[in-house]
Amino acid sequence: MKWDKFTSIQDKTIPIIMETSKDVIVSSGTASGKTEAAFLPIISRIENNAEDQLKILYISPLKALINNQFERIERLCEHSHIPVHKWHGDVGQSHKNKFVKKPSGILQITPESVESLFINRTEHIRHLFKGLEFIVIDEIHSFINTARGVQLRSLLSRIEDYSNERARIVGLSATIDNFELVKEWVNYKDIENVEIIEAKGSDKELLFHLMHFETGEDRKKPVELFEDIRELTKNQKSIIFCNSRGEVEEATVFLNRLAEKDNVGESYYAHHSSIDKKEREYVEKTMVVSKVPKTVIATSSLELGIDIGDVDIVIQVDSTFTVSSLKQRLGRSGRKRNANQMLQLYSTEDDSLVQSLAVMELILEKWIEPAEGYPIPYDIMFHQLLSICQETNGITLEKLVSKLKTSHIFHALDERLVEKVIRHMIENDHIEKIRGKNELIVGIEGERILRSKDFYAVFMTPEEFTVLEGIRKIGTLDKTSMLNVGDNIILAGKLWTARDIDFDKNKVYVQKAVNGKPPRYSGGGVKIHKRIGEKMMELLCSDEEIGYIDEKANITLAYVRKPYHHYKVNPKERIIWEEKGERVFETYTGTTITWNLVWALRSLGITVKSVDGAGRITIDGNIDMEELLQEMNKIEWTPETFIKHTTDQEFFFSKFSTYLPKDIQKELHIANEIDIQGMREYLKLYSFRSLKL
């Protein structure tokens, strides 16, 4: 491969995989060679007997990442005759059948496809997994806190029942913190046998800058912003990240209009999960092969390492909601030898400016959100119970409970509640008890869930229209967006008119148009960590100049800091601004604590008018908030009090939570949304001051 030496992470990882039998977590920056650090030694260990047994399971969060890594791993295996296979929804049945008959080498797969193996190819499972020696989990951080990670960990436990020996787990990530939790997730039975291998920082310099362009009254981003982006991307290969699919569409069309004025063809391409796969793959390929500067505009769909060739600069429009997300994104540039990482930030509103700075400052401090795991996963257990009953085609209650007790992810659940869920499933015909044999199988209602096409994924997907031009699929639109025949929309960076809408088949037929509005998509709410809120307040109270922002950002920052400086506010204070007939309480903490404060206030009879993204709680009436907040710390709060004052849309909800007994749904809400201890600490930590604006 014409390498003259190994990278630092490769030097550290290779001996541990070669010489020990430990599970390994490899944590180092993007483009530091983690994939090779794991695969070179693993391939060396299995090459002599990989031609007639499956030896390595490579798990990826994205199908596109599998397609990307496929060639890379094939190249590594070129001289060792180790077959590499991929398995996901787009791989043809004949390939899959061939693999099932003669499993061998390396299988690249998503968690959802592993699930489908357990359900649809039950009789082949032992034959498939008996010789398995390694499980490589790419982008492992993307699983730890999520429902999908619970599903994956459960599936890996189930694979153990079929393999001759427990396969070693190797996790790869560029953004991970709280290694203790990660070790437990990997192997709670033998935490000491999980080795963390870390290469701190990268030798690449990060060049970064922030510019502020104020959004107008009409909430539209100013033309000058797009002109600046156009200037910056004219001669560089770039990725522009936006926070919503609608913004991606709008930016793509506007930037292509500017490119047209320069007499250049299409230079900007939209990329997000609602654009059809073929269109997305076309964009990825175009970016890789293009010899002239091209730019892809994306949501988080390009955050994880999908290869679009070497990128010169990463652009982020308005702040990310997490530090780890920005860290992943800026890692997409500077992959070439001797190239620096380049990041251009833009903000378009006051809050977005302060949050962008807070997130950037935390990156510079090398802070990142610690992994917290997915609390009490009874909802995912419900899903896995259906899957296990299908896989075993009949299992006794004792065996089922003992399976969950030894599962790496369900072992800590309350056995009483586990049995309660199973009884509830039997009562509701999700599971059926066979008379005489005393075994449990999937019931009729369970079959209804199991046979739906979206059973394999545990994450929520909105109801969608498929958008077609003739027979060509352009992408999808959320059904929540009001759409009428004759409406113009933007999708895949192009302008369309809705010609016909088939509500029965959920299809929208379109033709090319000359203008259009970006579609509205329902966005999943992202929780902000309290450290970001705290950092925002520190920035507001500080008078320190920030060296990497433009004049406009400087003026805006001075303007938003003004009231804090005027009243000599310090970062250990939280302010309640008094306005006519209402109070605005600036919490500057994490999303969870802000909502706990809302429920506490409501329970005391206070009318909360609104809560905004920065955690400002607007309260109706002339209330003495200082006294009230002091009183709040003396009250013995219970989750029940909060639940009484929680509206339906504020209640925790997941794809399978509604199938659980009501009291367990409540437990899930408490575990995911209520943090009385955190709220108490917040009320103790800060002093509160009312001020007139």
Side-chain angles (χ1 to χ4, degrees), residues 6-21:
F6 284 129
T7 65
S8 136
I9 198 69
Q10 291 163 348
D11 270 332
K12 289 178 175 181
T13 306
I14 291 169
I16 304 290
I17 293 178
M18 287 301 285
E19 294 158 21
T20 74
S21 59

Side-chain angles (χ1 to χ4, degrees), residues 103 200 222 400 467:
K200 280 265 192 250
L400 190 56
V467 180

